[in-house]
Amino acid sequence: MSAIGADVTRLEDDRLLRGWGRFHDDVIRPGQLWLRIVRSPLAHARILAVHTEEAAAAPGVVAVLTAADLAGLPRIPVRQPHPGIDFAPYLQPVLATEWVRYAGEPIAAVLADDPYLAEDAAELVRLEAEELPISMDARSGTELRPDCWGGQRAEVGVVEFGYGEVDEVFATAPHVVSVDLKIGRHSGTPLEGRGLVAEWDEREQRMTVWGASKVPYFNRRILAGMLGIAEHQMHMKEADSGGSFGIRGELYPEDVLVPLLCLRTGRPVKWSEDRIEHMTAANHAREQEHRIELAFDAEHRLLGLRDEAWQDTGGYIRTHGAVVAALTAAMICGPYRLPACRSRVHIVTTNKTPVGTFRAPGRFQNNFVREHAFDLAATQLGVDPVELRRMNLLDATELPHRRPMGIFGAPMLLDGGDHLGHFDKGLAAFGYQEWRAEAAAARAEGRLVGTGCAVMLEKAGLGHDSAVVDVGVTGAVRVAMGGVTVGQGIETAMAAIVAEEFDLPASAVKVVLSDTDILPDGAGTFASRSTVVGGSAVKLAAEAVARKARRVAATLLSVEEAELVFRAGALVVAAEPERQLTLGQITGACFTPQFLRTGEEPGLIGRGTYVADGMTYPYGAHYVQAEVDPGTGGVTLLRYGVSYEIGRAVHPASVHGQLLGGTVQGIGGALLEEFHYDERGLPLSVTLDEYRWPRLTDLPDIRIEVYEDSPAPGNPLGVRGAGEGGTAGAGAAIANAVRDALQLHGDVGALPLHPERVKALLRRPRG
């Protein structure tokens, strides 16, 4: 039996489909208080006073806090520093102090006996403030030194990656193509909003927290320090999450206020985000402006890439620090043969909601600008855009390929098998050349139909994770690891990895995720790393159990360990199958004096920690056929395909689902989703009426081709990660298809390509 690669029903589905999910909002504790956040109605202002007297006197109100009540509480730190950038002046306080820097910033916290009383009382809090001029554009605001930063520049810092003699290459290249492109502001908008519940046990002197997701171990470390308690006094419990996409589960102000108020009042405290709060206060993403240049030789071989970008990071630096900028700059080279490259990203504060990581951070942006520039170059060079890519993609003879630079402290070693071969395989699988012929025929009939493709380089797996596998005397197998369930099927994948070791079905393994009482440390779920890093830790832990089980069973059965094989959860003497011991019997023996050893855990327990020395680089391509309505500017996607190299699919249906869902999210960012602000910096996209998700009628039949041609050489499972490839190339391929449909000589200018923007393109000269 092989659990890895088996398309079994996901273990979490039964619970979720029956309504038995363990979401934070299902947690109701005796004596629970409700938290309501009072948010700034202004985008930029000097705080003169926050009047709370009326709210504090309202029925059912237990406490009203402002920044004055949080004296000494540090600002929320970043998870990862970046060399040469001091984030400290730009970090967000838990409640606004002296200044507000975006509409929606928390200025007060109201605690009441029920959510309605808390909301009513919150409306009685009054902000007295001097409204100030706003900055809403990163590129033009780089040199600003607003008073709120105490003389510091609005530009937080510049992230730069590159290698080679870039300027010399561009000075002598026969062909240079340059283009200015923008990516709009959108973000992940999970079905379930953020939320948290905390309860303090006075007798045990311990706090239990429900609802933390993404990085619960990091959050616990920071919270323990901020609250002045030991980490072991906080128990983060696993919970289901109605979507994450990288934005849910970061350490936000609300995640500090809930446990802080719990500790101060001694009563359970709960906060549940509503949709307007989510749209104005949770991390936004994407918004960047680029100027990209490509240099080619006389035979159209790529000589160099030069990119300058400005990232609107909003009112503060949040926990991601410079991760989005770093991924934008470091991975803009893509899967191409590229002798020289330099990419800079200016991180600039404005008076909008702060930004953070969102599915394929940096790559949705850099794939769009690079791949759109490639299509523009093809037009200007008189070359077929597919052929221009083919002649510049790295092939099997050049891989693995080391870029002469590092990323996040690790060397950038492209560990794929054949980028050109993958592209050719995808072209053939989807019949892309037939799509192009169809589009050309449609255009000959007067329709605006076009095709576009985009290749992409993804990344996954860096850092560490840990896991513990234990077997009980009944034979029950349990694994605890540091990932989080956000709907991606992590329980099924981790169970399969353990089950594979013991020749069991995945359903025989109980999975526990990010429970800090069971597993002391983990890294969480983000950056397509759970299976690559966390799964590798799980495999190591399972292997440790298997080694001990073999040693004990060999003694009991008086055979050599090499004579034993796992069959259906038992160790069997291969030559004499009737002689065997179940895992439960072996566990029972482990507790006897014969097998107890100093320095070794009793029972049948294995622990594993996996530290990735570098990332693995999955890759793929998106293929689109689209039609533009000349009257409305609406874009209809007629055909869509994604090819993806996964290395090894632990649970193929989950891989397919991740890529499919990611593609839908990418389509939203390419065509529909965008946050808008008015002239005072107030958000205009605060409900799902103004911020439009893609609907079923917006989607074509999306085909996914998953290949396992190139197992990742750097981890024991050979896996590459699947969480973001569906999103990463969508903007680029759709933009290229729209450009082709309109037969533009120039570029599309910006994403998303909503009808008004497309109508403006329709007014441009074509051909």
Side-chain angles (χ1 to χ4, degrees):
M1 169 186 320
S2 179
I4 292 180
D7 253 335
V8 298
T9 301
R10 299 195 323 169
L11 302 184
E12 43 274 84
D13 287 352
D14 182 74
R15 178 182 78 244
L16 296 172
L17 290 171
R18 292 174 187 272
W20 293 347
R22 305 158 296 189
F23 299 92
H24 89 274
D25 210 37
D26 297 320
V27 179
I28 299 173
R29 308 303 300 168
Q32 175 179 287
L33 297 171
W34 290 80
L35 172 66
R36 183 72 183 176
I37 305 297
V38 181
R39 301 183 183 278
S40 171
L42 303 173
H44 187 202
R46 183 194 306 272
I47 297 174
L48 303 177
V50 180
H51 299 285
T52 63
E53 301 82 0
E54 196 176 355
V61 171
V62 173
V64 181
L65 276 73
T66 67
D69 301 299
L70 305 178
L73 194 68
R75 296 186 175 215
I76 299 172
V78 298
R79 285 194 280 118
Q80 187 168 320
H82 188 89
I85 298 181
D86 179 12
F87 295 119
Y90 305 96
L91 299 178
Q92 182 164 7
V94 173
L95 292 174
T97 56
E98 192 177 357
W99 312 90
V100 290
R101 296 176 173 85
Y102 66 95
E105 180 171 357
I107 58 173
V110 176
L111 204 58
D113 286 328
D114 76 40
Y116 304 104
L117 292 173
E119 188 162 355
D120 289 346
E123 292 177 358
L124 300 175
V125 174
R126 188 165 56 85
L127 173 67
E128 184 181 347
E130 174 193 1
E131 190 168 359
L132 299 169
I134 57 172
S135 172
M136 301 296 282
D137 181 77
R139 189 167 185 174
S140 63
T142 302
E143 299 298 328
L144 294 177
R145 293 180 182 272
D147 290 343
C148 66
W149 293 133
Q152 300 276 347
R153 285 160 53 98
E155 182 181 80
V156 178
V158 180
V159 170
E160 178 172 332
F161 287 84
Y163 57 88
E165 302 299 326
V166 180
D167 292 332
E168 287 80 354
V169 164
F170 275 86
T172 58
H175 303 289
V176 173
V177 177
S178 62
V179 59
D180 291 280
L181 295 166
K182 294 182 178 179
I183 301 95
R185 170 175 284 243
H186 64 279
S187 191
T189 47
L191 286 173
E192 181 205 19
R194 297 175 294 140
L196 210 67
V197 182
E199 183 176 37
W200 178 252
D201 186 322
E202 183 65 23
R203 187 174 67 86
E204 298 289 336
Q205 292 289 291
R206 294 194 83 213
M207 182 179 291
T208 302
V209 178
W210 295 262
S213 59
K214 185 172 180 175
V215 285
Y217 291 92
F218 169 83
N219 288 4
R220 184 176 71 149
R221 288 195 290 272
I222 300 303
L223 287 171
M226 295 175 89
L227 301 181
I229 61 177
E231 288 173 68
H232 64 74
Q233 289 181 280
M234 294 194 77
H235 178 199
M236 313 294 272
K237 296 201 68 167
E238 67 173 328
D240 283 307
S241 178
S244 172
F245 315 123
I247 73 161
R248 194 178 191 282
E250 295 282 13
L251 191 64
Y252 290 95
E254 299 87 350
D255 298 294
V256 179
L257 286 167
V258 169
L260 175 75
L261 290 168
C262 171
L263 196 60
R264 286 192 180 184
T265 63
R267 293 174 62 180
V269 174
K270 182 174 188 173
W271 172 72
S272 293
E273 178 186 64
D274 65 27
R275 183 58 65 184
I276 293 176
E277 287 184 297
H278 182 81
M279 304 296 265
T280 58
N283 284 346
H284 287 187
R286 304 291 196 229
E287 188 172 9
Q288 292 180 349
E289 184 173 348
H290 287 250
R291 181 171 183 75
I292 185 170
E293 300 169 285
L294 302 178
F296 294 90
D297 69 11
E299 283 75 42
H300 308 143
R301 291 188 291 259
L302 190 59
L303 297 175
L305 183 156
R306 196 161 55 185
D307 183 65
E308 190 100 10
W310 292 263
Q311 176 178 299
D312 184 337
T313 200
Y316 292 98
I317 288 291
R318 282 191 170 161
T319 48
H320 77 102
V323 167
V324 177
L327 289 170
T328 301
M331 296 196 63
I332 199 167
C333 305
Y336 292 109
R337 189 182 308 109
L338 184 60
C341 174
R342 184 177 67 229
S343 180
R344 292 190 181 118
V345 179
H346 302 257
I347 304 172
V348 185
T349 57
T350 62
N351 295 113
K352 300 177 190 172
T353 299
V355 306
T357 54
F358 164 45
R359 204 170 198 171
R363 285 99 71 206
F364 182 87
Q365 296 98 316
N366 64 32
N367 284 327
F368 165 54
V369 299
R370 185 195 63 244
E371 293 299 298
H372 201 56
F374 247 82
D375 268 28
L376 198 68
T379 300
Q380 295 185 13
L381 298 173
V383 185
D384 182 278
V386 169
E387 288 307 311
L388 186 63
R389 288 180 172 84
R390 292 191 71 257
M391 70 176 70
N392 285 292
L393 282 168
L394 292 163
D395 64 29
T397 66
E398 302 165 290
L399 291 164
H401 176 78
R402 181 166 186 162
R403 301 273 192 218
M405 63 181 192
I407 177 171
F408 300 139
M412 192 170 189
L413 179 66
L414 308 190
D415 60 352
D418 186 353
H419 293 304
L420 174 60
H422 177 97
F423 186 46
D424 284 344
K425 191 173 180 179
L427 289 168
F430 296 116
Y432 183 68
Q433 298 298 0
E434 286 76 26
W435 294 12
R436 300 177 81 190
E438 282 179 2
R443 287 197 299 273
E445 296 172 355
R447 294 168 60 193
L448 302 180
V449 180
T451 55
C453 65
V455 297
M456 60 182 179
L457 180 72
E458 266 296 281
K459 60 88 199 165
L462 192 61
H464 81 287
D465 215 329
S466 54
V468 56
V469 173
D470 62 70
V471 182
V473 293
T474 63
V477 181
R478 181 178 70 160
V479 57
M481 57 88 62
V484 178
T485 178
V486 292
Q488 80 280 44
I490 186 173
E491 291 171 59
T492 306
M494 297 305 120
I497 293 167
V498 176
E500 178 90 356
E501 206 64 43
F502 306 122
D503 191 38
L504 288 167
S507 57
V509 180
K510 167 67 177 173
V511 179
V512 178
L513 301 170
S514 286
D515 187 311
T516 56
D517 271 11
I518 298 176
L519 187 73
D521 183 64
T525 287
F526 58 97
S528 301
R529 65 185 302 286
S530 289
T531 304
V532 177
V533 181
S536 294
V538 166
K539 179 172 174 57
L540 295 177
E543 288 175 344
V545 170
R547 282 195 299 273
K548 184 171 182 179
R550 285 180 186 279
R551 173 167 57 84
V552 172
T555 301
L556 293 173
L557 294 170
S558 301
V559 297
E560 297 296 323
E561 292 182 32
E563 298 178 60
L564 297 171
V565 295
F566 275 107
R567 288 182 188 160
L571 271 170
V572 179
V573 180
E576 303 172 81
E578 69 280 4
R579 297 181 63 200
Q580 58 178 272
L581 291 169
T582 67
L583 281 172
Q585 290 171 318
I586 299 169
T587 302
C590 288
F591 290 107
T592 62
Q594 182 182 3
F595 295 105
L596 289 171
R597 295 180 177 178
T598 299
E600 185 178 274
E601 285 188 89
L604 199 48
I605 298 175
R607 296 184 186 274
T609 295
Y610 179 74
V611 182
D613 296 329
M615 292 194 288
T616 184
Y617 293 90
Y619 46 95
H622 286 234
Y623 312 82
V624 175
Q625 186 187 71
E627 181 166 11
V628 173
D629 186 319
T632 66
V635 176
T636 300
L637 301 178
L638 304 175
R639 299 177 185 275
Y640 205 114
V642 179
S643 60
Y644 195 76
E645 174 56 54
I646 188 65
R648 189 183 185 197
V650 173
H651 185 242
S654 293
V655 172
H656 184 275
Q658 283 289 299
L659 291 167
L660 182 61
T663 302
V664 173
Q665 215 155 22
I667 290 171
L671 293 177
L672 302 165
E673 299 181 36
E674 188 169 28
F675 289 110
H676 297 282
Y677 290 84
D678 70 8
E679 66 279 359
R680 292 175 61 203
L682 305 183
L684 298 174
S685 315
V686 297
T687 72
L688 295 179
D689 285 335
E690 301 96 9
Y691 184 91
R692 199 184 152 203
W693 281 346
R695 301 169 186 169
L696 187 60
T697 51
D698 296 314
L699 304 173
D701 177 26
I702 300 170
R703 287 179 55 193
I704 307 291
E705 291 281 332
V706 177
Y707 302 139
E708 298 179 76
D709 295 336
S710 176
N715 66 74
L717 292 165
V719 295
R720 291 189 179 275
E724 301 167 283
T727 309
I734 290 172
N736 289 344
V738 170
R739 180 177 181 271
D740 186 49
L742 300 181
Q743 293 291 284
L744 296 176
H745 185 77
D747 59 90
V748 299
L751 293 178
L753 288 166
H754 50 65
E756 287 305 312
R757 192 162 275 151
V758 175
K759 284 167 71 175
L761 295 174
L762 281 163
R763 292 191 286 272
R764 282 197 202 167
R766 299 182 214 163

